[in-house]
Amino acid sequence: MYSVVERELELRLILSPERSIPVPARLSFRSDDPYAVRISFHITSDAPVHWTFARELLVEGVFRPCGYGDVRVWPTKVEGRSVVLMALSSPDGDALLQAPAAQVSAWLERTLRVVPPGTEGEQLGIDDALDQLLAQ
């Protein structure tokens, strides 16, 4: 049995320094995949767009710039509000998304209560499997 922690929220897709559009999204975390977080964007299409990346990247990105390559995350202020920016790159294109820092942080805290940092391997049973393998 595994736990799921989800949060619906509205992100902003940054089109230019002056222009952004709302993008409904869902943050998802599953205790049976404890290293990953998933963001589903419900863009005006039949199928939502899904991004999966390291939970640790998002946790760190709330406090300081981190990541490289396909996913970069960093905190900033916009009009006096704390936000988290996520730059996503794929062969299909690039996107810069803005999320409310308080909502992302509250959701991350819930995921960290379900699977505390450093205990992810226990959720997967990796330690038990290694013990069995090495005992043979």
Side-chain angles (χ1 to χ4, degrees), residues 11-49:
L11 304 180
R12 305 287 309 173
L13 176 62
I14 309 298
L15 302 173
S16 73
E18 305 81 33
R19 197 160 159 251
S20 67
I21 57 172
V23 178
R26 177 185 293 126
L27 300 173
S28 300
F29 171 81
R30 291 171 45 140
S31 63
D32 64 336
D33 189 8
Y35 292 104
V37 294
R38 183 177 196 161
I39 302 178
S40 300
F41 305 103
H42 309 283
I43 300 171
T44 54
S45 68
D46 294 336
V49 174

Side-chain angles (χ1 to χ4, degrees), residues 38-119:
R38 183 177 196 161
I39 302 178
S40 300
F41 305 103
H42 309 283
I43 300 171
T44 54
S45 68
D46 294 336
V49 174
H50 304 287
W51 275 79
T52 302
F53 54 90
R55 175 175 71 163
E56 188 176 318
L57 182 67
L58 194 54
V59 169
E60 188 176 333
V62 168
F63 299 103
R64 69 187 69 80
C66 66
Y68 55 90
D70 295 347
V71 179
R72 292 178 296 121
V73 183
W74 66 96
T76 192
K77 294 244 189 242
V78 173
E79 298 169 1
R81 292 186 343 264
S82 293
V83 298
V84 177
L85 292 175
M86 293 176 279
L88 307 176
S89 298
S90 78
D92 296 327
D94 300 336
L96 179 59
L97 293 145
Q98 175 185 308
Q103 290 179 25
V104 172
S105 296
W107 174 77
L108 281 169
E109 284 176 24
R110 287 174 48 213
T111 76
L112 294 169
R113 281 197 298 271
V114 170
V115 179
T119 67

